[in-house]
Amino acid sequence: MIHVRGLTRSFGAVEAVRGVDIDVSKGEIVGFVGPNGAGKTTTLRMLTTLLRPTSGTATVADCDLFTDPAGVRRRIGYVAQGGTVGPFSGVGEELVLQARLYGLSRSEARERVTRLLEELDLAGGEKRTAGQLSGGQKRRVDIAMGLLHRPELLFLDEPTTGLDPQSRTNLWGHVRRLRAESGMTVFLTTHYLEEADALCDRILIIDDGTIVASGTPAELKAAHDAGTLDEVFLAVTGRELREGAAA
Amino acid sequence: MTALAALTGHYLRTSFANRFAIVFGAIQPLFYLVIFGPLFSRSGVGSWDTLVPGLLVQLALMSSGLVGFGVVFDQRFGVLERLRVTPAARSTLLLGRVLKDSVVLLIQAAGIIVLGYAFGMRAEPVGVVLGLLLITVLSIGMAALSYAAALTIRMELFAPVMSTLVIPLMLLSGALLPMSLAPAWLDVVSRFTPFRYAVEALRALFAGPPTSPTVLWGVLVTLVFVAVGFTIGTKVYQRENT
Ligand SMILES: Nc1ncnc2c1ncn2[C@@H]1O[C@H](COP(=O)(O)OP(=O)(O)OP(=O)(O)O)[C@@H](O)[C@H]1O
Ligand SMILES: [Mg+2]
């Protein structure tokens, strides 16, 4: 579903991503983990056609990133780290617009939005503006934005940051269900290693623009003789992902 | 096509949800019409028929010139990225916005014309309709440039830069006082701004048959302006935003 070789991206003198290789098969849930500034968002923005790589090759959802970005866009969903709706915009209005940009008819779009909001515990949320929602509710609206067209491949950039434990667990359930029902592939970033452990089939650890470890949670733990992924992270990078996480 | 219709409809609904903003976008020309117009029409310089076409160009500059603000917010809140990752062409994303802007401008311009008639403007209805068309086309170029500027210059500079830029352009167009009064140097400078030709074409259209060379020049210059404006706008919209 994703095949990436030697992908790099610089911003002036800053080498944000320094040659990453990524392979993700259909139906996998893959976690992309790393500290602030590691290059996670930059990588995702390249794979979703928003940023031009400085070098490298990539096929995303069976389309070449460089020669067929429109094909990539049709097949993927992307939920950005920074949100998707302004505070004064009506949630339903924005979701329906997004669905229609993916080619759904007006009635299909409305139906889909209602369904999706129900599934994300936001039933009836259409009539509100994003500014009237709590942080976690707004985050779920962002996630709905990426699911409207039932993409084959979904990129989630820190989907659970700001969600309470229950909403996080609900979201994991939703992601697992999507994979079970439609075989959707999910590539997500997170700072929560226990989340990656619980949710992901495979994990890539990125630090300073390079992938420093990858494997299933069990493989990673075994390879570093660690009980938790936090310990793996410490062993691989010499740092803790979050203060006190591996303690 | 679905995408363009959905976008334009969305932006129109959002605009009409706030009708006050539509009136407010035309507030400067409205003030000129109501407070400056009565003086102007008795000054011996010109009549309502001279002033109203000028105010329409002022409107296009002020109203469409500042629409870029909207996209600044879209960029800040991640809306732009969200739209950019859909299959809709980036030129469509721009066109949807610009079409909304031209509809809003058309409504504002119609309001000013109606008020102009109420004050005593005597203009050919056919010319007025053609004039509305011309001003709408002009506004498309202006709006596209406004979005390009909003996505290019620093967010907090957009409003001051645009409003500072728009005023000399408006004065140079002869929108308020015709350039026939200008000293030679000012007249020459004015000829390098596209809006002068639009103002003069509008005055000619309001005054008589739409066949004079002035009208032709105005139409030509405006078409070139739109082509350039929309090309620049699309270029900027297609650029990645880092
Ligand atoms: N548009 C940009 N212009 C300049 N530098 C950038 C830009 N975007 C990212 N960077 C730099 O690239 C590096 C990687 O940033 P990126 O956003 O990819 O990190 P991240 O792994 O997503 O971090 P976080 O966990 O904080 O979201 C950082 O050093 C950042 O400052
Ligand atoms: Mg990030």
Side-chain angles (χ1 to χ4, degrees), chain A residues 9 11 45 48-52 73-74 78 82-87 93-94 97-98 100-102 106 145, chain B residues 2-3 5-7 9-11 13-14 77-79 81-88 90 93 238 240-242:
Chain A
R9 171 70 200 215
F11 297 102
R45 293 184 70 215
T48 54
T49 76
L50 291 167
L51 274 185
R52 206 160 294 117
R73 283 185 209 130
R74 248 190 303 280
Y78 171 55
T84 57
V85 223
E93 171 76 29
E94 297 282 334
L97 169 66
Q98 188 78 357
R100 299 207 64 206
L101 294 184
Y102 280 109
R106 200 191 304 265
M145 289 284 176
Chain B
T2 319
L7 277 161
H10 166 77
Y11 290 129
R13 274 192 300 281
T14 315
F77 292 113
V79 181
E81 281 227 331
R82 176 195 111 202
L83 300 176
R84 276 180 159 162
V85 85
T86 69
R90 283 161 191 189
L93 299 180
Q238 275 163 348
E240 61 187 15
N241 62 324
T242 52

Side-chain angles (χ1 to χ4, degrees), chain B residues 59 101-111 132-133 135-136 139:
Chain B
L59 174 72
D101 298 325
S102 61
V103 171
V104 169
L105 186 104
L106 196 62
I107 291 166
Q108 293 169 327
L132 272 175
L133 204 63
I135 204 78
T136 308
S139 79

Side-chain angles (χ1 to χ4, degrees), chain A residues 11 14 16 35-42 81 158 191, chain B residues 242:
Chain A
F11 297 102
V14 180
N36 290 139
K40 302 183 294 296
T41 298
T42 305
Q81 183 174 0
E158 299 196 19
H191 286 148
Chain B
T242 52

